[in-house]
Amino acid sequence: MSKCPFSGAAIKPTTLTSSNGAPVANDNQSRTAGPRGPVTFDNHYLFEKLAHFNRERIPERVVHARGSAAYGTFTLTKSLSDYTIADFLQKEGQKTDVFLRFSTVGGGQDSSDYARDPRGFSVKFYTEQGNWDMVGNNTPVFFLRDGIKFPDFIHSQKKNPRTNLPDPQAVYEFWANNPQSLHQSTILMSDRGIPYSYRHVNGYSSHTLSFWNNAGERYWVKWHFKTNQGIKTLTNEEAAKMPSYGAQQDLVESIDNGDFPSWTVNVQIMTEEEARNYHINPFDLTKVWPHSDFPLIEVGQLELNRNVDNYFAETEQAAFAPSNLVPGIGASPDRMLQARLIGYQDAHRYRIGANYNQIPVNAPRCPVHNYQRDGAFAGINPALAGSGANFYPNNRARVGEPAEAPEIQEPPMPLEQDAWLDIYDNRDEDNYSQAGDLYRIMSEDQKQQLVNNIADGLSQATQDVQEAMFVQYDLADSDYGERVIKAVANRQ
């Protein structure tokens, strides 16, 4: 029995146990046949330690593998009851607990926080009617408008399959063959391509989502989280001097020190009639909605104020899915979003099991009642351990068995008149104008950074890829194209 170093009082240590709760007599040596003999087969405690150790890692995420996260609160400052029945968006002053995970996209867990890469910005809202996951990025657009190209895109951004080294040829070869990427790649190669910290990025739903109200009226909506710390970025040269874990360290230390990062939450709202006649496809993930037509409406504040206690249990096992929707918030015809509705759930089941929503960080804070049963780790949530029927419909609603709630039914979503099921090619739906608009509002310094960053990688690509990219930049803005051509030539 040891003594407290401060009071000198005797302290009774907590008993070390095995995973089945049995006390452990010795955790320093294995059982052996004599002092120099082999380990014997009855070392069940040794075998348990080794077997568990071999299984401590789960498959890393295919994308967004390197991440940092924290808990916080969303406070509603403007009621959205005219637009949605979502319970946490009704009354000014309402507070909702959140969990926010930041991440890089392309690299693995061993990559740098300072890669030139989009940053994931995913928020889990623990509402009283279930969890809503706003699964977004720090950019308002993306490289693609159709999920069928997502595996190809990620393959092109990963390391070369033969050398396991970065592959600029693959990066630009994909972009050369997919001009829809130009808007997002212009952002990525700009001065905003490497954030200084997670506290200094904006967040966006990027996708168009939907609201519906008590009258059954639907509205289309985009979410914007504007950092109250201001945008702060790094050049390639500055980023090379930063520790690979710097953004995670900055987030943890700022919250530990009481310097809580926060974001002003805004929405853009479009009526169904406006969407039907708008000159831009409002469901195209490569496009923004001009603020002049659909101004930002400030609706709340989001603050992060508590770090995770266990990185693996919380940050690593956090599972965000665009399909985690709540009454009053729905999807849209966005092709990329539609693909993610199944892709994310499937990834979580592969990584952490069919019952991933029962892991504490993912578990809803409201009662959960359904007829899902069994699978790995089933039953750790007592709310699911019903003793009655395990099917629906049944005759037991009067004794508390779960039943439908038709009052929260989403209104029907209209299709285009006389729509025919087919494969519709949208690869050439104006890939250049918004990239050009973005270029033209850049300062001279921002334009030069953009062009230099592009040339660093494009100069390593083959001539046919270079020429295809030159055409894209020129179609966005002739000055953009001319500068890139000159910058690439100067590197060869």
Side-chain angles (χ1 to χ4, degrees):
M1 186 173 293
S2 62
K3 292 186 177 182
C4 175
F6 304 106
S7 66
I11 300 174
K12 185 178 179 180
T14 303
T15 300
L16 176 66
T17 73
S18 59
S19 61
N20 68 323
V24 173
N26 192 312
D27 191 47
N28 292 308
Q29 290 87 29
S30 305
R31 291 168 62 89
T32 60
R36 298 187 180 184
V39 171
T40 58
F41 206 74
D42 61 352
N43 273 267
H44 55 85
Y45 179 64
L46 164 67
F47 298 155
E48 177 198 310
K49 285 188 72 173
L50 294 178
H52 188 280
F53 176 75
N54 287 345
R55 293 161 176 80
E56 284 182 354
R57 298 277 73 81
I58 57 178
E60 79 171 27
R61 293 168 170 84
V62 178
V63 290
H64 299 278
R66 184 174 182 83
S68 304
Y71 295 93
T73 304
F74 167 70
T75 303
L76 187 71
T77 58
K78 178 180 174 58
S79 172
L80 289 170
S81 58
D82 288 345
Y83 303 102
T84 177
I85 65 171
D87 72 302
F88 71 107
L89 299 176
Q90 298 303 302
K91 297 179 180 179
E92 294 180 7
Q94 280 183 275
K95 292 183 181 295
T96 303
D97 289 341
V98 300
F99 183 76
L100 197 162
R101 185 178 187 270
F102 306 93
S103 57
T104 53
V105 178
Q109 290 175 328
D110 60 344
S111 59
S112 173
D113 286 347
Y114 297 103
R116 183 169 292 278
D117 202 11
R119 298 299 188 269
F121 190 103
S122 294
V123 188
K124 187 179 295 291
F125 292 77
Y126 299 101
T127 88
E128 294 182 3
Q129 288 191 305
N131 291 351
W132 173 49
D133 290 352
M134 200 295 297
V135 190
N137 285 324
N138 72 322
T139 56
V141 297
F142 193 62
F143 298 93
L144 306 170
R145 60 171 67 99
D146 194 317
I148 199 169
K149 298 309 300 172
F150 187 74
D152 302 296
F153 166 65
I154 295 301
H155 289 167
S156 75
Q157 307 299 297
K158 294 285 190 178
K159 294 176 182 177
N160 183 283
R162 183 180 71 85
T163 65
N164 200 41
L165 296 172
D167 192 351
Q169 167 68 24
V171 170
Y172 280 94
E173 189 172 347
F174 180 89
W175 291 345
N177 285 283
N178 291 274
Q180 62 191 283
S181 299
L182 185 61
H183 192 181
Q184 171 74 315
S185 65
T186 297
I187 298 173
L188 178 62
M189 291 299 161
S190 75
D191 61 311
R192 292 203 177 190
I194 309 178
Y196 172 78
S197 83
Y198 291 131
R199 295 181 299 123
H200 294 87
V201 299
N202 290 339
Y204 302 89
S205 65
S206 306
H207 293 293
T208 299
L209 301 173
S210 64
F211 282 157
W212 71 88
N213 62 19
N214 277 317
E217 299 166 325
R218 175 181 282 104
Y219 298 87
W220 304 117
V221 59
K222 285 182 179 287
W223 290 78
H224 300 246
F225 297 73
K226 298 290 189 178
T227 174
N228 293 329
Q229 291 68 238
I231 295 292
K232 192 173 181 180
T233 61
L234 298 170
T235 64
N236 289 340
E237 295 73 23
E238 291 169 336
K241 300 175 183 177
M242 300 292 284
S244 62
Y245 51 82
Q248 179 166 317
Q249 181 178 15
D250 175 86
L251 181 66
V252 171
E253 292 182 350
S254 67
I255 294 175
D256 278 348
N257 293 333
D259 182 12
F260 300 144
S262 63
W263 287 259
T264 297
V265 184
N266 305 268
V267 294
Q268 287 178 288
I269 295 177
M270 180 186 296
T271 66
E272 284 191 313
E273 185 62 27
E274 288 170 326
R276 196 172 292 117
N277 300 302
Y278 197 55
H279 66 281
I280 295 172
N281 178 358
F283 313 115
D284 181 348
L285 186 55
T286 70
K287 303 287 198 305
V288 297
W289 296 356
H291 291 189
S292 57
D293 292 338
F294 303 97
L296 295 183
I297 303 170
E298 183 176 330
V299 299
Q301 290 288 319
L302 187 150
E303 178 187 85
L304 297 182
N305 48 37
R306 180 166 69 88
N307 280 312
V308 302
D309 293 319
N310 184 292
Y311 181 89
F312 179 82
E314 296 162 281
T315 305
E316 184 59 20
Q317 292 196 108
F320 297 86
S323 52
N324 280 349
L325 300 165
V326 294
I329 300 179
S332 80
D334 179 336
R335 290 190 188 186
M336 275 295 298
L337 175 59
Q338 296 279 326
R340 294 176 81 203
L341 293 177
I342 185 172
Y344 275 59
Q345 284 188 326
D346 188 50
H348 301 325
R349 294 186 186 105
Y350 164 69
R351 274 193 352 110
I352 49 182
N355 291 298
Y356 65 88
N357 272 332
Q358 295 185 37
I359 296 171
V361 69
N362 301 320
R365 306 285 177 84
C366 61
V368 176
H369 303 289
N370 59 48
Y371 294 96
Q372 293 179 350
R373 290 292 180 267
D374 306 335
F377 304 114
I380 62 173
N381 185 344
L384 299 181
S387 59
N390 63 351
F391 56 87
Y392 188 83
N394 57 62
N395 298 333
R396 312 183 195 193
R398 65 184 181 278
V399 293
E401 292 298 301
E404 298 167 335
E407 67 273 12
I408 55 90
Q409 177 67 45
E410 180 175 358
M413 186 180 297
L415 296 174
E416 293 180 6
Q417 187 176 8
D418 298 324
W420 286 82
L421 185 65
D422 201 351
I423 294 176
Y424 295 93
D425 191 346
N426 63 6
R427 288 175 294 178
D428 295 325
E429 289 188 1
D430 184 12
N431 298 313
Y432 310 108
S433 65
Q434 290 200 350
D437 291 341
L438 176 60
Y439 177 82
R440 285 184 285 275
I441 65 172
M442 290 182 178
S443 67
E444 181 61 28
D445 177 66
Q446 289 173 321
K447 289 179 180 178
Q448 203 54 51
Q449 286 190 57
L450 167 66
V451 169
N452 288 338
N453 291 332
I454 290 171
D456 287 343
L458 186 57
S459 61
Q460 302 177 57
T462 55
Q463 184 176 351
D464 59 322
V465 168
Q466 291 179 5
E467 291 176 353
M469 292 305 303
F470 294 158
V471 171
Q472 291 186 30
Y473 299 131
D474 182 71
L475 288 169
D477 186 277
S478 58
D479 180 67
Y480 190 0
E482 290 174 7
R483 291 194 193 209
V484 172
I485 292 173
K486 291 178 181 177
V488 170
N490 289 337
R491 284 164 171 75
Q492 294 176 331

